[in-house]
Amino acid sequence: GAVVSQHPSRVICKSGTSVKIECRSLDFQATTMFWYRQFPKQSLMLMATSNEGSKATYEQGVEKDKFLINHASLTLSTLTVTSAHPEDSSFYICSARDGQGQETQYFGPGTRLLVL
Amino acid sequence: AQKVTQAQTEISVVEKEDVTLDCVYETRDTTYYLFWYKQPPSGELVFLIRRNSFDEQNEISGRYSWNFQKSTSSFNFTITASQVVDSAVYFCALPGGNNRLAFGKGNQVVVIP
């Protein structure tokens, strides 16, 4: 199956700093990538959809200035958590969907963010 | 809107027992896909299967099997002869608008050795 990588896998940062998370599709071109957030023992919550070369579409309630998304190439999308606070601590996971009309989303391994 | 219901939150089984996870969905689309993903404790979501609504044949992959019943809007997943490595959260999902996936709440499977 298709491979999606995510970096870093784990990050601890101080409150007020910004953290960038990278999501890469390794063996296919991803026209669309998705960013999710997952709280313990809960399902995935879609934060935003990013399409290569255009602005991301954010879900209701997600602050676009807080969670900056860039999808500059067909294999890379980044999520930057700006001015992180302890309540931003969570598991962030990305997925990528190829451009061949296939509906399948392939997920990265996720990033555990802890803001102190 | 698409909706996926996984009613069983946590299921514990003894190793080698079979376990069936229920997934019931709602959609107004006439053709659609259905998915199952596995999320082990490490966190990564592992793609297990994609099923097209045109294809109602049951599918078997090793110890995994899926029963798709379009008439009852269900896409159930069975693990046969469960193993400790099967301990994970399993999500059923259905594409919604704008390429989004609607996920169920997940089934936590605990296999006891």
Side-chain angles (χ1 to χ4, degrees):
Chain A
V3 180
V4 176
S5 71
Q6 204 170 324
H7 179 80
S9 58
R10 188 182 298 266
V11 58
I12 301 173
C13 69
K14 292 183 179 179
S15 187
T17 60
S18 294
V19 175
K20 180 186 280 189
I21 303 169
E22 292 187 350
C23 177
R24 293 181 186 273
S25 57
L26 298 185
D27 52 0
F28 67 101
Q29 293 185 327
T31 54
T32 306
M33 287 185 169
F34 304 84
W35 287 96
Y36 296 84
R37 184 173 180 176
Q38 187 180 32
F39 292 104
K41 297 191 181 298
Q42 292 191 21
S43 189
L44 282 75
M45 181 187 78
L46 180 65
M47 299 174 66
T49 302
S50 83
N51 291 299
E52 186 265 338
S54 62
K55 289 184 180 180
T57 303
Y58 289 81
E59 295 300 298
Q60 192 172 6
V62 178
E63 299 176 58
K64 57 182 69 176
D65 294 331
K66 173 75 172 175
F67 299 100
L68 298 178
I69 290 172
N70 185 281
H71 192 162
S73 78
L74 285 171
T75 59
L76 173 64
S77 176
T78 60
L79 167 68
T80 301
V81 183
T82 61
S83 187
H85 291 285
E87 58 266 31
D88 298 324
S89 299
S90 191
F91 186 62
Y92 294 88
I93 189 165
C94 71
S95 71
R97 179 175 174 273
D98 69 21
Q100 302 302 315
Q102 300 296 318
E103 297 279 348
T104 306
Q105 289 186 27
Y106 297 96
F107 287 81
T111 298
R112 294 192 187 278
L113 171 64
L114 176 60
V115 184
L116 301 177
Chain B
Q2 321 296 70
K3 184 179 178 182
V4 177
T5 302
Q6 293 178 257
Q8 311 138 297
T9 51
E10 183 165 331
I11 305 164
S12 293
V13 296
V14 177
E15 201 171 18
K16 297 185 183 177
E17 287 184 345
D18 298 347
V19 55
T20 295
L21 310 179
D22 299 331
C23 172
V24 176
Y25 61 91
E26 295 176 26
T27 180
R28 292 182 178 179
D29 295 339
T30 52
T31 61
Y32 48 88
Y33 290 99
L34 291 160
F35 298 85
W36 276 95
Y37 288 89
K38 172 183 179 180
Q39 187 176 37
S42 60
E44 179 178 4
L45 260 78
V46 178
F47 166 71
L48 295 179
I49 189 172
R50 182 185 74 194
R51 170 51 52 93
N52 189 315
S53 58
F54 279 121
D55 183 2
E56 292 200 57
Q57 285 190 349
N58 291 333
E59 182 153 343
I60 298 174
S61 176
R63 295 184 297 106
Y64 295 168
S65 62
W66 290 268
N67 184 315
F68 177 39
Q69 297 285 340
K70 199 170 182 179
S71 59
T72 56
S73 298
S74 67
F75 186 39
N76 298 336
F77 172 34
T78 298
I79 303 172
T80 303
S82 60
Q83 299 176 2
V84 173
V85 294
D86 297 326
S87 296
V89 180
Y90 293 85
F91 290 99
C92 182
L94 170 71
N98 297 323
N99 302 315
R100 299 188 187 103
L101 271 181
F103 284 91
K105 291 187 177 181
N107 302 122
Q108 170 80 59
V109 173
V110 178
V111 180
I112 303 165

